[in-house]
Amino acid sequence: MRDTDLREAADLIDRAGRIVIFTGAGVSAESGIPTFRDAPSGLWEQFDPRRLATPEAFGDDPALVWGWYEWRRAAVQQVEPNPGHRALAAIEQRAPECVVVTQNVDDLHERAGSKEPIHLHGSLFAPRCSACGRPATVANGAPAVEGRVPPPPCDHCGAPIRPGVVWFGEALPVDAFEAAVAAAANCDLLITVGTSAVVFPAAEIPQVTARMGGAVIQVNPEPTPLDAVARVNLHGTAAEVLPALVEAV
Ligand code: BJW
Ligand code: ZN
């Protein structure tokens, strides 16, 4: 990461009235949560998303899918937010207006102090009935190893409870997506952190800001399609770059 880039990014943050922070799995990597597409640890490098992250997969083998998500829920509960999450919460706190929009299904932004992040892809902590849609409470003590676990039945209708995440082929929650698009269209600055920006429609969010004339800062150790629209590219990891950025602001 170049000093001049860090300075330019800090100046953009200083001058911005409205900021959007847009995050992906990379922001949680240094907490010990694997990303999806980074080799060799990425979840989709090890597991087939068609068997685990589609409505058809849940219909075919609910216990396989429920057990996998329960294992992931347990893993998130065992880790802590990292300095990247905390630096983002600090940026949010000092900005005149700031919205955090995350694709992540963990609760690490909330636990780091971010106020009501918008979850575009749902949450591991919001299971609901697969038939009637009512929210469900599930017991703590999720399994520490992956394996089949039959989903509990809905208290109301008896249908299986499903994870409250957005699978491939499913629509994003309308309110969340609309709020994210509106925030991205109306901000002065969007800071994108730790996303490969290949999953749509979420990947449109930073593009919306760029199209509307807002500045985009990217934090990522690897190139992404957002290199083309980023005014400043901070090459490095979230837990390294973001605290340095807060220091420079
Ligand atoms: C670091 C770091 C460190 C590492 N610090 N950085 C247009 C074109 C093509 C396809 C489509 C299209 N529109 C729709 C589609 C289909 C599909 C899609 O986009 N497919 C593409 C993959 C080809 N989209 C959908 O199906 C969506 N639904 C939809 O379109 O519905 C239409 C519809 C409308 C109306 C009615 C009905 C239907 C839904 C997408 C849902 C995505 N779900 C997942 C799983 C969530 C649940 C779970 O957790 O299991 O969401 S997939 C997965 O990818 C997850 C993530 O949120 C998402 C994005 O991944 P992310 O966060 O970017 O992670 P990675 O691993 O890809 O990248 C990590 C990055 O971090 C890398 O860049 C690293 O370099 C970096 N990094 N360490 C900072 N320490
Ligand atoms: Zn039900």
Side-chain angles (χ1 to χ4, degrees), residues 165-177:
V165 302
V166 180
W167 286 323
F168 286 110
E170 292 189 314
L172 274 55
V174 175
D175 291 355
F177 188 63

Side-chain angles (χ1 to χ4, degrees), residues 64-89:
L64 178 76
V65 173
W66 182 255
W68 192 70
Y69 279 94
E70 282 293 87
W71 164 65
R72 286 181 51 204
R73 186 167 70 93
V76 168
Q77 285 175 317
Q78 278 155 28
V79 304
E80 297 298 327
N82 67 58
H85 295 105
R86 284 194 279 272
L88 291 173

Side-chain angles (χ1 to χ4, degrees), residues 11 22-23 40 54 63 86 119 123 125 207 217 228 237 245:
D11 287 345
F22 178 68
T23 67
T54 64
R86 284 194 279 272
H119 281 272
S123 166
F125 301 93
Q207 306 280 358
I217 296 172
T237 73
L245 187 56

Side-chain angles (χ1 to χ4, degrees), residues 24-26 29-30 35-38 44 68-69 72 103 105 121 165-172 194-201 220-222 224 237-238:
E30 286 151 295
T35 65
F36 292 93
R37 296 174 182 81
D38 290 305
W44 297 159
W68 192 70
Y69 279 94
R72 286 181 51 204
Q103 300 165 83
V105 296
H121 291 162
V165 302
V166 180
W167 286 323
F168 286 110
E170 292 189 314
L172 274 55
T195 179
S196 59
V198 296
V199 175
F200 286 85
N220 199 311
E222 301 295 333
T224 80
T237 73

Side-chain angles (χ1 to χ4, degrees), residues 7-130:
R7 192 65 260 150
E8 189 182 353
D11 287 345
L12 284 168
I13 293 173
D14 271 333
R15 287 200 305 269
R18 293 178 177 161
I19 298 179
V20 171
I21 291 169
F22 178 68
T23 67
V27 74
S28 297
E30 286 151 295
S31 290
I33 300 299
T35 65
F36 292 93
R37 296 174 182 81
D38 290 305
S41 60
L43 290 171
W44 297 159
E45 296 287 316
Q46 304 174 59
F47 302 99
D48 181 354
R50 287 166 303 190
R51 289 187 57 223
L52 292 162
T54 64
E56 294 75 21
F58 187 69
D60 288 349
D61 195 342
L64 178 76
V65 173
W66 182 255
W68 192 70
Y69 279 94
E70 282 293 87
W71 164 65
R72 286 181 51 204
R73 186 167 70 93
V76 168
Q77 285 175 317
Q78 278 155 28
V79 304
E80 297 298 327
N82 67 58
H85 295 105
R86 284 194 279 272
L88 291 173
I91 291 172
E92 176 185 356
Q93 212 162 30
R94 69 185 297 288
E97 277 182 49
C98 183
V99 181
V100 176
V101 178
T102 187
Q103 300 165 83
N104 297 345
V105 296
D106 62 44
D107 59 355
L108 296 176
H109 282 304
E110 290 91 327
R111 283 161 59 194
S114 281
K115 303 267 171 290
E116 297 181 30
I118 295 177
H119 281 272
L120 291 180
H121 291 162
S123 166
L124 290 170
F125 301 93
R128 65 174 190 272
C129 174
S130 59

